[in-house]
Amino acid sequence: MDMKAKVLVVGGGGREAAIVDALSRSPRVGKIFCAPGNAGISLQAKCLPLEDTQIDELQDFALKEGIDLTVVGPEVPLSMGMADQFEAAGLRVFGPSAKAARIESSKDFAKRIMEKYGVPTASYRTFEDYAEALEYVRSKNTFPIVLKYDGLAGGKGVVIPENLADADEALKDMLLDDRFGKGKVVIEDYLEGPEFSFLCFVDGEKVYPMVLSQDHKRAFDGDRGPNTGGMGAYTPLPFISGEDRDFALEKIMKPVARGLVAEGCPFKGVLYGGLMKTKDGIKVIEFNCRFGDPETEVVLPRLESDIYDIFCAVADGKSVGELKWKEESVMGFVLASKGYPGKYVKGKEISGLNEALSDPDVKIYHMGTTVKTASDLKEGRCWTNGGRVLMVLASGKTPRQAHDKALAAVQKIHCENLFYRTDIGHWAL
Ligand code: AMP
Ligand code: GLY
């Protein structure tokens, strides 16, 4: 009898590709399923024709198939209560309850937790009423100012107006026209400094830090252009000292984990601290209740410990032990459809994937691709099927080496409709 574990990964982007890849390195894992997965993921997992929000169908599948562990990638199913429902059905699941996921799904909840447990962040006020919110911005009269819609808004809920007229327009959008639904707006002070991501495995009060990473949010070189879901990421971060990292762990991540326990919603899963190194110290910009995308794609390749064991230990409330990491740099470049994050077309052919993979230090995680026949990927081709399409990454002894190897691989990939940044990791070079 095959005693190897069956694992279900929920989601279908680059993050899930990295999770599936890490799981496939575990000698304890047998078969991996991914819902919905994508073309690249299908090389390592059986993709299911189910969306990540079809919780009932996914639960039926997990029960029937005898899945040993379900790992939930995206925030939407988590805030819909997927982990709660799986746990109630007796299924082992890695991911927080809907109540704990409010650390991401409600900006106001996250700010209240930070305030109550003394975690450094920008000062703020929350408003439901448009006129009161506008009056607050007018009387404060300092720009830029940061306006955050309180609920999940697919990365589009943060606006940073430079003047009162733009602030007014954004507040109207959020509080009068209910662009994202009926909700509140958090208004907070604008902070400055480099941002970085601190992902930790968290089980109640226990916090197991991962290596630090940074994502590049702007579309174009030199940190110009519109905000995107992330155009690349890298690890480690030479500009964050050991002292800064210890501060972030002891004064930010641990107090929040303890705070969530004290509030009756212990967190289980990955707690993502979106942090900023300001001139007044490290402060929180946001929390997410899941692995970051594209940070996960560069962080997990450095993990030497068995990720299946980590997921199970967190899910079962057992000790994870010390995590082991490779001492190397990893840099990843996102290839995105021209026009992204605005309008773009799909269905353009991509070639050269095998040439890019000829360097053994290079990996490609698919974010939004499709194939026409099962042999397409073997022949190194696929078609664009999303805004962010591929993440091409390389490991190296130094940031420079990782950067140059990844960029060389990117340049071997051909597609008339893709663009990328060339300056990923510029803070570290
Ligand atoms: P969030 O969804 O909260 O991560 O916000 C999206 C982006 O807006 C962040 O990655 C920051 O670049 C920016 N941002 C959010 N809050 C602030 C702040 N208080 N000061 C400056 N920039 C911010
Ligand atoms: N990289 C940003 C995020 O995952 O939200």
Side-chain angles (χ1 to χ4, degrees), residues 140-341:
K140 217 172 152 59
N141 201 29
T142 38
F143 294 95
I145 192 158
V146 182
L147 312 178
K148 299 185 171 181
Y149 178 73
D150 182 52
L152 290 179
K156 297 189 175 65
V158 177
V159 182
I160 307 185
E162 302 273 349
N163 55 55
L164 187 61
D166 290 352
D168 187 14
E169 196 177 316
L171 288 172
K172 275 201 185 105
D173 218 28
M174 294 182 190
L175 290 173
L176 288 183
D177 302 340
D178 297 336
R179 178 157 174 228
F180 308 106
K182 196 119 205 83
K184 298 182 264 193
V185 169
V186 168
I187 303 184
E188 68 177 34
D189 292 351
Y190 179 79
L191 302 176
E192 275 178 286
E195 285 179 61
F196 62 101
S197 306
F198 196 8
L199 280 60
C200 297
F201 294 104
V202 172
D203 168 22
E205 299 200 347
K206 293 182 283 206
V207 177
Y208 306 94
M210 295 185 230
V211 291
L212 297 178
S213 58
Q214 189 184 43
D215 130 15
H216 295 260
K217 288 228 164 75
R218 300 295 203 98
F220 309 128
D221 278 1
D223 292 317
R224 289 167 204 276
N227 258 318
T228 70
M231 291 299 294
Y234 67 101
T235 171
L237 306 181
F239 61 90
I240 301 295
S241 66
E243 204 176 294
D244 284 341
R245 182 247 182 223
D246 292 348
F247 178 88
L249 181 60
E250 299 300 329
K251 304 291 183 196
I252 294 176
M253 304 307 288
K254 287 187 180 174
V256 167
R258 282 197 296 268
L260 288 170
V261 172
E263 297 294 316
C265 44
F267 192 96
K268 260 177 190 278
V270 172
L271 182 62
Y272 166 130
L275 312 180
M276 186 184 268
K277 186 175 163 73
T278 75
K279 62 176 179 6
D280 304 317
I282 310 278
K283 298 199 176 179
V284 177
I285 294 291
E286 63 162 344
F287 284 107
N288 292 323
C289 66
R290 49 162 177 89
F291 279 108
D293 194 358
E295 291 94 327
T296 307
E297 291 93 307
V298 293
V299 167
L300 290 187
R302 290 187 58 199
L303 180 64
E304 282 184 328
S305 312
D306 188 317
I307 200 163
Y308 178 76
D309 289 341
I310 298 172
F311 286 151
C312 290
V314 170
D316 297 342
K318 297 197 175 126
S319 171
V320 167
E322 205 185 324
L323 304 180
K324 292 206 173 64
W325 299 93
K326 285 185 209 158
E327 288 298 325
E328 62 180 16
S329 267
V330 181
M331 292 220 184
F333 291 60
V334 169
L335 283 76
S337 295
K338 284 182 186 158
Y340 171 81

Side-chain angles (χ1 to χ4, degrees), residues 98-116 124 126 150 184 186 256 259-260 263 265 287:
K99 269 177 99 180
R102 283 180 299 164
I103 200 75
E104 173 166 3
S105 64
S106 167
K107 302 274 187 201
D108 180 53
F109 176 77
K111 290 301 264 191
R112 278 189 283 126
I113 294 285
M114 288 186 259
E115 190 168 55
K116 186 161 171 187
Y124 79 107
T126 302
D150 182 52
K184 298 182 264 193
V186 168
V256 167
L260 288 170
E263 297 294 316
C265 44
F287 284 107

Side-chain angles (χ1 to χ4, degrees), residues 13-58:
R15 165 181 53 211
E16 289 75 24
I19 294 171
V20 166
D21 187 37
L23 281 165
S24 70
R25 291 196 290 275
S26 167
R28 315 243 290 113
V29 172
K31 195 152 174 104
I32 308 174
F33 299 87
C34 191
N38 65 36
I41 290 174
S42 69
L43 295 175
Q44 289 173 305
K46 182 169 167 41
C47 295
L48 306 175
L50 289 172
E51 292 306 314
D52 57 17
T53 49
Q54 287 181 273
I55 299 179
D56 291 340
E57 291 84 348
L58 289 165

